[in-house]
Amino acid sequence: MEKARQPGRPPVRADHVGSLLRPAALRKAFRDRASGAIDAATFGAIQDDAIRAIVRFQEEVGLGVVNDGEFRRGSYWGRFVELTEGLGVAESRFRFRDDGGAESDFTAPAVTARVRRAAAIAADEVRFVRPLTDRIVKATLPAPSTMHFWRGSAYAAPGLYGDPAAFFADLAAVYRAEIAALVAAGADYVQFDEVAIAMLCDPAVRAMVAADGLDPDGLVDLYIDAINAALEGAPDSAVYALHLCRGNHKGQHLAAGAYDPVAERLFQRAGVNHFLLEYDTPRAGDFAALRFVPRHRGVVLGVVSSKVAAPEPLDRLRHRVDEAARHVDLDRLAISPQCGFASTVGGNPVTDADMRAKLSLCVEAADVIWDG
């Protein structure tokens, strides 16, 4: 198992993005807790048992990095909103869609008051997992843009924040305190889940943003600055990563487009150790944008899909990594699924067996490509 942090490369060759399929008992417990059928203590005990099992699952698959599968969250950003003062939920201005054209609405964070860290957000997730494993422990957080992008110019209540920079300054203080708490709790690896910047690669999304009176390129810069502000003073003992995603909800997506419109600025300015990039479909474009990744940063290639059951042929994965290695040295690369298996409790349209097969495939491919 790879434990030491090495400049210019991800900490493990076979990674995963964070969310894992909740077992049926845990999905039921979320429903029962929402309806009042079970109390908080019973709900917590069910979560604890499910997390112990999913940590064992990750170890059995052979992963060198583990987490709690985001099993304490209703969605990847849910606890952040619930536990941060000044954040609420409202309708997003965007819609998920599938390859057949079907669309669905969704809710997203909204700013209802001045933002302040009222409680620890995810440190308890790490604190519970740390004694269960000797593997690298990952903690995931929604990227700062998550609290701003989905509602566009209506992201905050009228008159609350006249300047988005003031909002992001308050938000950065929340992140800095939380990151310090995550590392103190035992996190070796902290990952931001970033959707907005990936969506701003899509010409249709950029047109929607412009029609709302916002500058797409200005937003990219604003969101990169927000990531860097969140990481100010972050402990050197942990690895920090940025995962880019074009949307992941029950197999649906939000956007398409290669990374080219944001690549140079993002890869060179974002102060993370490595990037986890979605490359599972043609919607992501080719690997040419990787030429902008500096030598002191690595890339995890999301070439295995968490949205479909069919396994990717091993030879296909080797070919994809070889293609990427034309732009980034092979030693600075790793592989993973393109996103989590369950960004919300409901999960993607795959089974537990499919998830095991996909993660085992990542481990096998990593062994063949880097150690074979």
Side-chain angles (χ1 to χ4, degrees):
M1 180 190 67
E2 299 158 284
K3 188 73 173 177
R5 174 178 174 180
Q6 299 184 44
R9 54 159 294 186
V12 293
R13 296 298 190 190
D15 206 340
H16 75 92
V17 168
S19 66
L20 299 170
L21 292 174
R22 278 67 158 180
L26 182 56
R27 295 197 302 272
K28 182 177 184 299
F30 270 95
R31 295 192 299 271
D32 288 347
R33 180 59 185 149
S35 70
I38 60 174
D39 60 19
T42 301
F43 184 43
I46 294 170
Q47 289 176 314
D48 289 352
D49 287 345
I51 290 166
R52 292 186 187 98
I54 203 65
V55 169
R56 290 194 299 271
F57 165 85
Q58 292 168 82
E59 292 181 334
E60 290 166 3
V61 166
L63 292 165
V65 57
V66 306
N67 73 340
D68 71 346
E70 300 184 0
F71 279 11
R72 299 197 192 278
R73 309 182 190 187
S75 74
Y76 77 98
W77 50 259
R79 284 190 105 206
F80 196 103
V81 170
E82 291 163 10
L83 297 172
T84 301
E85 188 174 296
L87 294 178
V89 178
E91 288 294 321
S92 169
R93 291 190 169 183
F94 298 90
R95 306 186 82 192
F96 277 98
R97 57 185 180 273
D98 62 22
D99 291 336
E103 296 187 341
S104 60
D105 295 320
F106 66 102
T107 56
V111 184
T112 59
R114 299 286 296 197
V115 174
R116 186 180 70 87
R117 185 174 183 266
I121 297 163
D124 62 324
E125 298 174 348
V126 173
R127 194 174 298 112
F128 186 82
V129 170
R130 181 70 279 173
L132 301 178
T133 184
D134 62 356
R135 311 290 170 95
I136 293 171
V137 173
K138 175 189 281 195
T140 60
L141 293 172
S145 65
T146 308
M147 314 307 153
H148 179 268
F149 181 70
W150 309 109
R151 301 269 301 149
S153 60
Y155 78 97
L160 188 57
Y161 282 105
D163 180 358
F167 164 67
F168 279 108
D170 285 352
L171 190 61
V174 176
Y175 276 92
R176 288 196 289 266
E178 183 62 23
I179 289 168
L182 290 171
V183 177
D188 305 298
Y189 179 175
V190 178
Q191 172 188 299
F192 292 132
D193 291 316
E194 174 64 72
V195 182
I197 294 177
M199 288 183 66
L200 288 165
C201 298
D202 187 326
V205 171
R206 292 172 70 88
M208 286 182 64
V209 167
D212 190 28
L214 302 174
D215 172 20
D217 288 319
L219 287 182
V220 173
D221 290 331
L222 179 67
Y223 297 155
I224 295 171
D225 289 343
I227 292 163
N228 291 342
L231 287 169
E232 284 181 10
D236 290 337
S237 58
V239 173
Y240 302 95
L242 184 66
H243 163 236
L244 269 75
C245 172
R246 292 170 181 80
N248 179 46
H249 177 64
K250 297 183 178 180
Q252 296 181 313
H253 61 276
L254 288 164
Y259 295 108
D260 299 76
V262 305
E264 186 169 10
R265 283 175 292 165
L266 178 66
F267 296 154
Q268 296 190 7
R269 286 188 51 217
V272 295
N273 300 99
H274 64 275
F275 301 92
L276 297 97
L277 302 177
E278 178 183 295
Y279 276 115
D280 64 319
T281 75
R283 285 193 301 273
D286 61 25
F287 294 114
L290 297 181
R291 69 189 185 278
F292 293 114
V293 178
R295 290 188 177 276
H296 62 284
R297 292 180 179 139
V299 174
V300 179
L301 301 169
V303 290
V304 172
S305 176
S306 68
K307 295 181 178 181
V308 298
E312 290 77 6
L314 183 57
D315 286 348
R316 172 64 174 163
L317 297 182
R318 293 184 65 174
H319 177 67
R320 296 284 280 158
V321 173
D322 286 344
E323 287 181 323
R326 298 172 187 169
H327 306 284
V328 176
D329 294 340
L330 181 64
D331 190 54
R332 293 194 286 128
L333 297 175
I335 65 169
S336 74
Q338 96 293 346
C339 196
F341 289 86
S343 297
T344 63
V345 169
N348 288 350
V350 294
T351 67
D352 290 345
D354 297 331
M355 180 173 71
R356 179 181 288 272
K358 294 279 185 165
L359 293 173
S360 297
L361 177 61
C362 289
V363 172
E364 179 185 5
D367 288 343
V368 169
I369 294 167
W370 284 277
D371 298 326

